[in-house]
Amino acid sequence: MKRPLHGPLRGPLHGRCRLSAGGAALALLAILALAACGSRGDRWDRPLRTEGPIAVDGELLWLDQSLSALVAATPSSTTCTPTLGDPRGLAGIAGAALVIGVDVDGPALQRIPLSGGASSRIPLPAAFDRIAATPDGLHAVLFYDPAAPPRSGALARDLNQIAVVDLAAGKATSIAFRTGAVAPQSVAFSADGRLAAVIFDRAVALVALEDAAWLQVPLLVPPGLPLHVREALFSPEADFLFVRTAELDDVIAIRIQSAPLGATVNFLSLGGATELRAIAVPKEPGFAGFVAALYRGNAALLDAGGDTTRTAAVPLDGEPSRIADLGGGRFLLHGDPSQGSGSMYLAAWDPLTGRIAQNRLEGRIVAEPRVGAGSVFLPHLAEGAGAALSVATVEMDSVRLRLRLRPVGLSGLPTATAMSTDGETLFLGLEVERESSGAAPNGGSRKDFSGSTGAIVEIRSDDLVGGGVVLDDTFDSLGIVGGFVYALHPSPLVDLTFVPSSDLARRAARRVDGVLATGLMGCDR
């Protein structure tokens, strides 16, 4: 349902099975939907399986796997588009959604245009489960998920098989690896979209996407030791791939050779350091061939070729778990919301000079930190029962490195964050006390604080001030789509609120309830 933030129900669901707008009641709406879109069949009895949302071209998309439907939501409508049968995987490229499904001609990658019109299909060699699309939208890598339920009639599948899809040419090329491992854990792409790294637990497969040439790179570890990858990062020039695993204290550095495709492997370490927690690839030209590594009690800049004479390391007084690249060759080391009291520690680090500045927040981090405009925004608890947002920036003069913290007081508990595309504005979700008013026994007025609700606050990086809006419900996450901030409320059928990012006001907010009910009502097939 689309409705204002307060007041009666005012509008029906919209769909590509389009329903006319108007002031119909919910019961009448359901009858109209069923009449317009066909009988409901058994769709109400199936378990709801969905994937999403993802943001594409100003729309939020969900794949309703149980109903073979793509559901899209905007502030003004929700739409429902049928997909191929037994859909798996969802990805977005400019102007379209990508879904793997099966029709009478076999498995295919379906390309669904978001502006309307007929969808197209690319035949596939197998019915895969997951899609990873390059940032430029020219290629996709399809692979299996061993945890996904088997498709009807599928008795066996080669979990080492993938497909490389040229989306412009509409052609899929099958590749069968022999890693001795189960299905890939993840897929990473180089910044230029030229290379893909398919990550297994004991191997990495490099794939040149233009011609589907590939190279399997075994990771030489003791027999029987699986490696669960936590991070896989290409260098800016795509001449190295850096891998961090849960089991090793080494950074695995894979040097990549092109034409023909080749690779050599180095295991990089800092003597005596343990518990490798994070890696980062500096983007500054002067750091080519280096990787930053964060350990328990140490941080180091490691030479990708294994030259230990080029190592730059510093001891730490705390135990951060993340590295934020602030540009200019400087980093902020910090924790994450899952760390508890350990996330109070901060350190600014300049590897080239070896300088470090350390500080602590008043309380633990409670919502996802965000990087923007050369600063890190850190929502955390404050002294007593309060909460605050600290904006961390790094400054260096001829004498020392400084870590500057600018505090912003908050009137609620931080629950979610989202950063504007230009990196200049943080949108912060808060859980605040719900205020209601009524008549007091003596004839005056009173205010009741019972329960809680959600609010969105805008924090601009230049002056740390901005507007805010109180919503009708709490929410789990925030995001940015098409000039709007959206908040996802707790609901199995997806309730959300859209607010223009340039106008955080109640009058401008739009609430859309039961987004996935569009599919339950049926799509126009």
Side-chain angles (χ1 to χ4, degrees):
M1 287 330 113
K2 187 183 72 154
R3 68 182 187 188
L5 283 169
H6 53 84
L9 184 70
R10 292 189 178 177
L13 292 165
H14 299 262
R16 291 198 170 99
C17 167
R18 291 285 183 178
L19 303 177
S20 60
L26 180 60
L28 178 59
L29 168 64
I31 294 172
L32 290 175
L34 291 174
C37 303
S39 64
R40 73 183 194 182
D42 65 345
R43 63 175 60 97
W44 295 83
D45 302 319
R46 302 175 196 166
L48 186 64
R49 293 188 294 109
T50 63
E51 183 175 341
I54 61 172
V56 184
D57 290 357
E59 299 188 41
L60 285 179
L61 306 179
W62 286 262
L63 178 61
D64 190 334
Q65 296 172 320
S66 52
L67 300 178
S68 299
L70 178 73
V71 179
T74 69
S76 59
S77 67
T78 59
T79 61
C80 176
T81 305
T83 67
L84 300 180
D86 197 4
R88 306 282 179 93
L90 173 64
I93 60 174
L98 303 176
V99 175
I100 302 166
V102 180
D103 61 13
V104 293
D105 295 320
L109 180 67
Q110 185 179 15
R111 183 171 183 158
I112 303 174
L114 299 182
S115 58
S119 63
S120 58
R121 69 186 300 278
I122 300 173
L124 298 179
F128 298 96
D129 302 313
R130 295 287 177 261
I131 307 171
T134 56
D136 58 16
L138 297 179
H139 294 88
V141 173
L142 315 181
F143 56 102
Y144 286 112
D145 178 0
R151 295 176 186 269
S152 176
L155 300 179
R157 50 186 181 168
D158 181 358
L159 297 181
N160 270 210
Q161 183 185 16
I162 70 164
V164 176
V165 183
D166 184 328
L167 294 171
K171 177 184 177 183
T173 302
S174 177
I175 298 175
F177 303 119
R178 294 293 178 265
T179 67
V182 294
Q185 301 180 30
S186 60
V187 177
F189 296 108
S190 60
D192 59 8
R194 180 173 55 88
L195 287 174
V198 184
I199 311 296
F200 296 86
D201 64 359
R202 289 185 296 277
V204 172
L206 299 172
V207 182
L209 297 174
E210 288 291 338
D211 58 6
W214 59 276
L215 174 69
Q216 187 172 305
V217 183
L219 304 179
L220 301 178
V221 296
L225 176 65
L227 295 178
H228 296 90
V229 174
R230 293 293 181 259
E231 291 179 274
L233 307 173
F234 277 100
S235 63
E237 301 79 14
D239 53 350
F240 282 95
L241 177 73
F242 300 103
V243 178
R244 177 177 70 90
T245 70
E247 291 78 12
L248 299 180
D249 292 330
D250 302 82
V251 180
I252 303 172
I254 302 174
R255 185 192 295 271
I256 303 168
Q257 169 192 308
S258 58
L261 194 61
T264 56
V265 180
N266 272 316
F267 287 76
L268 312 180
S269 63
L270 176 67
T274 60
E275 293 187 30
L276 179 63
R277 297 182 170 185
I279 58 175
V281 180
K283 298 178 177 60
E284 301 297 317
F287 288 86
F290 283 94
V291 59
L294 178 60
Y295 303 88
R296 179 182 181 181
N298 298 93
L301 193 67
L302 306 175
D303 175 63
D307 185 350
T308 58
T309 64
R310 305 180 70 191
T311 298
V314 291
L316 306 175
D317 293 338
E319 297 185 4
S321 59
R322 294 189 185 180
I323 306 175
D325 189 346
L326 298 178
R330 295 168 192 159
F331 300 95
L332 183 75
L333 313 178
H334 63 88
D336 61 54
S338 66
Q339 272 193 295
S341 61
S343 67
M344 297 167 62
Y345 172 82
L346 299 175
W349 176 39
D350 187 295
L352 290 185
T353 63
R355 295 179 181 177
I356 188 168
Q358 304 179 80
N359 208 328
R360 292 182 68 85
L361 301 171
E362 290 184 356
R364 64 182 180 87
I365 297 173
V366 291
E368 185 65 25
R370 300 289 178 180
V371 179
S375 300
V376 180
F377 295 76
L378 302 147
H380 60 90
L381 297 180
E383 291 183 356
L389 175 76
S390 289
V391 184
T393 55
V394 178
E395 302 169 351
M396 187 166 67
D397 55 27
S398 58
V399 178
R400 63 176 179 171
L401 188 72
R402 289 185 172 87
L403 174 57
R404 180 187 178 196
L405 295 178
R406 293 180 291 167
V408 177
L410 303 174
S411 298
L413 178 67
T415 58
T417 56
M419 183 63 68
S420 63
T421 53
D422 61 7
E424 296 293 336
T425 304
L426 175 79
F427 295 97
L428 177 64
L430 297 177
E431 184 175 333
V432 298
E433 292 180 314
R434 189 187 300 274
E435 179 178 331
S436 60
S437 59
N442 60 6
S445 62
R446 67 180 181 187
K447 289 186 177 180
D448 240 349
F449 293 94
S450 55
S452 58
T453 190
I456 304 174
V457 179
E458 173 190 28
I459 307 292
R460 296 193 298 266
S461 61
D462 52 356
D463 54 12
L464 302 187
V465 297
V469 59
V470 177
L471 307 184
D472 281 350
D473 200 357
T474 58
F475 50 86
D476 300 319
S477 62
L478 282 179
I480 308 290
V481 60
F484 288 83
V485 185
Y486 68 88
L488 282 173
H489 305 294
S491 168
L493 290 180
V494 181
D495 299 344
L496 67 157
T497 300
F498 292 95
V499 189
S501 57
S502 59
D503 186 16
L504 288 189
R506 237 180 123 75
R507 56 176 169 71
R510 296 290 181 270
R511 175 149 175 165
V512 182
D513 283 348
V515 170
L516 296 182
T518 305
L520 289 172
M521 297 300 181
C523 291
D524 182 5
R525 297 179 184 274

